Amino acid sequence: QVQLVESGGGLVQAGGSLRLSCVASGRTFSSYAMGWFRQAPGKEREFVAGISWSGARTDYAESLKGRFTISRDNAKNTVYLQMNSLKPEDTAVYYCAADRLEYSRVPSGYDYWGQGTQVTVSS
């Protein structure tokens, strides 16, 4: 069992930056692939970024490449999402997720989810 807790969300002006963190419980965090998703009101949950258990491989939604960076620190049981040049359309609840096998671009590919953290970007 893995429990995930996100933090770092908040209100930021367009063009600003935020770094989200997701802390995982359990001693097997380093064996899990991780992903970040987001969900805006009235929209489906969408893939943001994924990272392999070692951090050697990453994947991003095409529209977010160059602005968002996913990373992890297995010693701290934490995965991060650095978000730069934020836009109002980035406003959403951001979720981290864990999978025992591999990261995926679809929500159904994950075993565990956090409760989410709200990111609001004002224009």
Side-chain angles (χ1 to χ4, degrees), residues 109-123:
Y110 291 84
D111 301 310
Y112 304 101
W113 289 85
Q115 83 291 345
T117 185
Q118 176 71 47
V119 171
T120 303
V121 185
S122 63
S123 57

Side-chain angles (χ1 to χ4, degrees), residues 21-34:
S21 299
C22 172
V23 179
S25 64
R27 293 174 290 178
T28 59
F29 172 76
S30 61
S31 65
Y32 283 77
M34 302 295 295

Side-chain angles (χ1 to χ4, degrees), residues 5 13 18 31 33 36-37 42 45 47-48 79-80 100 109 112 114:
V5 179
Q13 289 188 333
L18 282 175
S31 65
W36 283 99
F37 286 75
R45 191 166 298 191
F47 173 75
V48 173
V79 62
Y80 304 98
R100 286 167 287 188
Y112 304 101

Side-chain angles (χ1 to χ4, degrees), residues 64-120:
L64 301 177
K65 284 183 179 178
R67 293 197 299 124
F68 288 18
T69 303
I70 189 171
S71 62
R72 66 189 297 161
D73 184 340
N74 287 342
K76 295 182 178 180
N77 279 14
T78 303
V79 62
Y80 304 98
L81 184 69
Q82 177 69 41
M83 306 185 294
N84 298 327
S85 303
L86 283 162
K87 305 175 181 179
E89 51 263 44
D90 293 319
T91 295
V93 177
Y94 283 71
Y95 299 89
C96 71
D99 188 79
R100 286 167 287 188
L101 296 177
E102 184 57 274
Y103 59 78
S104 169
R105 290 189 170 198
V106 296
S108 59
Y110 291 84
D111 301 310
Y112 304 101
W113 289 85
Q115 83 291 345
T117 185
Q118 176 71 47
V119 171
T120 303

